[in-house]
Amino acid sequence: MAANKKLLMLPGDGIGPEVMAEVRRIIGWMDKRRHVSFDVAEDIIGGCCIDAHGTPLRDETVADAKAADAVLLGAVGGPKWDNVAFDIRPEAGLLRIRKDLGLFANLRPAIVFDALADASSLKREIVSGLDILIVRELTGGIYFGEPRGVETLPDGTRRGFNTLVYTTPEVERIVRVGFELAQKRSKKLCSIDKANVLESTKMWREEAERIKGDYADVALSHMLVDNAAMQLIRDPKQFDVIVTTNMFGDILSDAASMATGSLGMLPSASLGAPDASGRRNALYEPVHGTAPDIAGQGKANPLAMLLSFAMMLRYSFDMEEDATLVEGAVEAVLDAGLRTGDIMSRGRTLVSTGGMGEAVTAELDRRAA
Ligand code: IPM
Ligand code: MG
């Protein structure tokens, strides 16, 4: 199969470039062995872009990202940029690219690989076999609501404020994504809100109830976010697909990651609305951050990045077989006992970032032979 798939790589800061290098390795393998040609361009985002251009994201990068079939992003930020102006922080670049590309649907699967069930901070029986999907709204809510800011009142008091706002179309499109994904899985959707306190999320709940008639095969439930945080730790397997707001999704996905053993294991896909031809903007990134404490040392776990690449194969290119191949290779390498530091336990073999990528590639070779 020959295809020319345009990718834009934005490795970013900290461990971003190291984990992205392992994607390059897999792409090199696929070019050779699977005859899929990827046309890869690379650019900068985040702190490194602030250093080079005084802004975390340039307009031309946004244009290139829109023109690409898919964007792969490492991670952005780090202590070096803690004191730059708030609106040009590295994180602002990430938020802008999500917003400008219209990536409203953020899919964050939390899957426990059997070999890692003991790396979880929860008991094996609570997490083993866990496979949930958090669908996080990504371009609205309190992250983007206006007004926002910090003002100084006449008496010298400072007042900081943000606005949690959702419109019905914003809620409807993300909740529909939740329903559609639930239809392909166990047909259970849990919508998470704070409807007992926040009007905007009470409206969210009402919208979900209104829409559910279109998905008669899916059982919709609702949960308040505080309870959901507790239930995710108590009994995560009660969930299948979760749909929630931008900020609640940010928080709950970090919590869910611990069930899987490490934040270094969680991939994500951020998708825009499909156009008439079915094409959609898409960005794939690990849920983890830049891990400045271990950056540049070859200690980072590249698996979340590789699993994000697998999500790209599935969601942007409909390459289900190749996606499963990569995911299967990751699982096999874990089964064989290879571990980066974040998931290391007694009796396992500690490998570097590159060592892990190399092992995944070798396993791909074996499987494709
Ligand atoms: C995430 C991150 C980002 C977010 C930060 C880096 C802006 O925590 O993707 O979960 O809050 O969305
Ligand atoms: Mg987060």
mmCIF file of all heavy atoms in Angstrom, residues 130-148:
data_model
loop_
_atom_site.group_PDB
_atom_site.id
_atom_site.type_symbol
_atom_site.label_atom_id
_atom_site.label_comp_id
_atom_site.label_asym_id
_atom_site.label_seq_id
_atom_site.Cartn_x
_atom_site.Cartn_y
_atom_site.Cartn_z
ATOM 1 N N LEU A 130 -8.579 -3.246 33.163
ATOM 2 C CA LEU A 130 -9.234 -1.942 32.999
ATOM 3 C C LEU A 130 -9.051 -1.395 31.581
ATOM 4 O O LEU A 130 -7.969 -1.450 31.017
ATOM 5 C CB LEU A 130 -8.637 -0.935 33.996
ATOM 6 C CG LEU A 130 -9.242 0.485 33.934
ATOM 7 C CD1 LEU A 130 -10.636 0.488 34.536
ATOM 8 C CD2 LEU A 130 -8.359 1.492 34.650
ATOM 9 N N ASP A 131 -10.138 -0.894 31.028
ATOM 10 C CA ASP A 131 -10.096 -0.316 29.683
ATOM 11 C C ASP A 131 -11.206 0.726 29.623
ATOM 12 O O ASP A 131 -12.357 0.413 29.347
ATOM 13 C CB ASP A 131 -10.324 -1.447 28.662
ATOM 14 C CG ASP A 131 -10.353 -0.929 27.220
ATOM 15 O OD1 ASP A 131 -10.291 0.301 27.020
ATOM 16 O OD2 ASP A 131 -10.450 -1.769 26.314
ATOM 17 N N ILE A 132 -10.848 1.967 29.957
ATOM 18 C CA ILE A 132 -11.864 3.018 29.917
ATOM 19 C C ILE A 132 -11.429 4.102 28.937
ATOM 20 O O ILE A 132 -10.263 4.192 28.566
ATOM 21 C CB ILE A 132 -12.155 3.646 31.313
ATOM 22 C CG1 ILE A 132 -10.910 4.300 31.905
ATOM 23 C CG2 ILE A 132 -12.720 2.623 32.260
ATOM 24 C CD1 ILE A 132 -11.149 4.872 33.299
ATOM 25 N N LEU A 133 -12.382 4.897 28.527
ATOM 26 C CA LEU A 133 -12.092 5.958 27.576
ATOM 27 C C LEU A 133 -12.702 7.255 28.098
ATOM 28 O O LEU A 133 -13.924 7.368 28.227
ATOM 29 C CB LEU A 133 -12.697 5.603 26.211
ATOM 30 C CG LEU A 133 -12.516 6.644 25.109
ATOM 31 C CD1 LEU A 133 -11.049 6.934 24.843
ATOM 32 C CD2 LEU A 133 -13.191 6.169 23.822
ATOM 33 N N ILE A 134 -11.828 8.196 28.398
ATOM 34 C CA ILE A 134 -12.316 9.502 28.846
ATOM 35 C C ILE A 134 -12.396 10.416 27.625
ATOM 36 O O ILE A 134 -11.415 10.584 26.902
ATOM 37 C CB ILE A 134 -11.375 10.102 29.916
ATOM 38 C CG1 ILE A 134 -11.349 9.180 31.143
ATOM 39 C CG2 ILE A 134 -11.822 11.521 30.295
ATOM 40 C CD1 ILE A 134 -10.464 9.655 32.275
ATOM 41 N N VAL A 135 -13.573 10.960 27.398
ATOM 42 C CA VAL A 135 -13.771 11.904 26.302
ATOM 43 C C VAL A 135 -13.888 13.288 26.938
ATOM 44 O O VAL A 135 -14.864 13.600 27.623
ATOM 45 C CB VAL A 135 -15.043 11.567 25.501
ATOM 46 C CG1 VAL A 135 -15.233 12.558 24.363
ATOM 47 C CG2 VAL A 135 -14.972 10.144 24.960
ATOM 48 N N ARG A 136 -12.859 14.078 26.725
ATOM 49 C CA ARG A 136 -12.764 15.395 27.369
ATOM 50 C C ARG A 136 -13.061 16.487 26.348
ATOM 51 O O ARG A 136 -12.476 16.500 25.269
ATOM 52 C CB ARG A 136 -11.332 15.543 27.913
ATOM 53 C CG ARG A 136 -10.970 16.938 28.377
ATOM 54 C CD ARG A 136 -9.471 17.041 28.709
ATOM 55 N NE ARG A 136 -9.129 18.396 29.080
ATOM 56 C CZ ARG A 136 -7.893 18.878 29.171
ATOM 57 N NH1 ARG A 136 -6.857 18.078 28.948
ATOM 58 N NH2 ARG A 136 -7.673 20.116 29.501
ATOM 59 N N GLU A 137 -13.942 17.413 26.705
ATOM 60 C CA GLU A 137 -14.192 18.578 25.855
ATOM 61 C C GLU A 137 -12.915 19.428 25.903
ATOM 62 O O GLU A 137 -12.339 19.623 26.963
ATOM 63 C CB GLU A 137 -15.397 19.367 26.388
ATOM 64 C CG GLU A 137 -16.035 20.317 25.377
ATOM 65 C CD GLU A 137 -15.184 21.514 25.037
ATOM 66 O OE1 GLU A 137 -14.493 22.039 25.930
ATOM 67 O OE2 GLU A 137 -15.193 21.940 23.868
ATOM 68 N N LEU A 138 -12.433 19.904 24.750
ATOM 69 C CA LEU A 138 -11.080 20.466 24.768
ATOM 70 C C LEU A 138 -10.960 21.927 24.316
ATOM 71 O O LEU A 138 -9.903 22.524 24.442
ATOM 72 C CB LEU A 138 -10.169 19.589 23.904
ATOM 73 C CG LEU A 138 -8.663 19.669 24.156
ATOM 74 C CD1 LEU A 138 -8.315 19.251 25.579
ATOM 75 C CD2 LEU A 138 -7.876 18.828 23.160
ATOM 76 N N THR A 139 -12.013 22.503 23.787
ATOM 77 C CA THR A 139 -11.844 23.874 23.278
ATOM 78 C C THR A 139 -12.811 24.863 23.902
ATOM 79 O O THR A 139 -13.007 25.968 23.392
ATOM 80 C CB THR A 139 -12.017 23.915 21.737
ATOM 81 O OG1 THR A 139 -13.268 23.310 21.401
ATOM 82 C CG2 THR A 139 -10.895 23.190 21.035
ATOM 83 N N GLY A 140 -13.428 24.468 25.003
ATOM 84 C CA GLY A 140 -14.374 25.377 25.640
ATOM 85 C C GLY A 140 -14.210 25.349 27.147
ATOM 86 O O GLY A 140 -13.154 25.021 27.684
ATOM 87 N N GLY A 141 -15.311 25.696 27.828
ATOM 88 C CA GLY A 141 -15.313 25.648 29.287
ATOM 89 C C GLY A 141 -14.429 26.700 29.912
ATOM 90 O O GLY A 141 -14.093 27.723 29.305
ATOM 91 N N ILE A 142 -14.016 26.436 31.122
ATOM 92 C CA ILE A 142 -13.297 27.447 31.906
ATOM 93 C C ILE A 142 -11.909 27.757 31.342
ATOM 94 O O ILE A 142 -11.338 28.806 31.617
ATOM 95 C CB ILE A 142 -13.219 27.000 33.388
ATOM 96 C CG1 ILE A 142 -12.888 28.182 34.300
ATOM 97 C CG2 ILE A 142 -12.224 25.856 33.560
ATOM 98 C CD1 ILE A 142 -13.139 27.908 35.768
ATOM 99 N N TYR A 143 -11.370 26.858 30.508
ATOM 100 C CA TYR A 143 -10.060 27.109 29.915
ATOM 101 C C TYR A 143 -10.100 28.303 28.962
ATOM 102 O O TYR A 143 -9.083 28.949 28.727
ATOM 103 C CB TYR A 143 -9.585 25.882 29.126
ATOM 104 C CG TYR A 143 -8.802 24.875 29.915
ATOM 105 C CD1 TYR A 143 -9.288 24.375 31.121
ATOM 106 C CD2 TYR A 143 -7.575 24.401 29.453
ATOM 107 C CE1 TYR A 143 -8.578 23.428 31.828
ATOM 108 C CE2 TYR A 143 -6.855 23.451 30.164
ATOM 109 C CZ TYR A 143 -7.355 22.975 31.350
ATOM 110 O OH TYR A 143 -6.647 22.040 32.042
ATOM 111 N N PHE A 144 -11.247 28.535 28.357
ATOM 112 C CA PHE A 144 -11.321 29.564 27.317
ATOM 113 C C PHE A 144 -12.352 30.651 27.609
ATOM 114 O O PHE A 144 -12.423 31.639 26.894
ATOM 115 C CB PHE A 144 -11.637 28.911 25.956
ATOM 116 C CG PHE A 144 -10.522 28.025 25.458
ATOM 117 C CD1 PHE A 144 -10.535 26.655 25.697
ATOM 118 C CD2 PHE A 144 -9.451 28.574 24.767
ATOM 119 C CE1 PHE A 144 -9.491 25.851 25.251
ATOM 120 C CE2 PHE A 144 -8.408 27.776 24.319
ATOM 121 C CZ PHE A 144 -8.428 26.399 24.557
ATOM 122 N N GLY A 145 -13.168 30.467 28.637
ATOM 123 C CA GLY A 145 -14.280 31.379 28.886
ATOM 124 C C GLY A 145 -13.829 32.804 29.186
ATOM 125 O O GLY A 145 -12.802 33.031 29.812
ATOM 126 N N GLU A 146 -14.616 33.759 28.739
ATOM 127 C CA GLU A 146 -14.383 35.176 29.016
ATOM 128 C C GLU A 146 -15.546 35.694 29.853
ATOM 129 O O GLU A 146 -16.660 35.223 29.670
ATOM 130 C CB GLU A 146 -14.309 35.971 27.701
ATOM 131 C CG GLU A 146 -13.203 35.558 26.752
ATOM 132 C CD GLU A 146 -11.824 36.103 27.146
ATOM 133 O OE1 GLU A 146 -11.764 36.970 28.055
ATOM 134 O OE2 GLU A 146 -10.842 35.647 26.565
ATOM 135 N N PRO A 147 -15.343 36.675 30.724
ATOM 136 C CA PRO A 147 -14.061 37.316 31.006
ATOM 137 C C PRO A 147 -13.132 36.451 31.860
ATOM 138 O O PRO A 147 -13.567 35.540 32.543
ATOM 139 C CB PRO A 147 -14.479 38.571 31.776
ATOM 140 C CG PRO A 147 -15.745 38.179 32.476
ATOM 141 C CD PRO A 147 -16.436 37.232 31.533
ATOM 142 N N ARG A 148 -11.879 36.794 31.787
ATOM 143 C CA ARG A 148 -10.863 36.138 32.596
ATOM 144 C C ARG A 148 -9.796 37.156 32.920
ATOM 145 O O ARG A 148 -9.612 38.140 32.196
ATOM 146 C CB ARG A 148 -10.256 34.975 31.821
ATOM 147 C CG ARG A 148 -9.551 35.419 30.530
ATOM 148 C CD ARG A 148 -9.130 34.254 29.661
ATOM 149 N NE ARG A 148 -8.188 33.396 30.333
ATOM 150 C CZ ARG A 148 -7.993 32.105 29.989
ATOM 151 N NH1 ARG A 148 -8.677 31.557 29.016
ATOM 152 N NH2 ARG A 148 -7.121 31.380 30.631
#
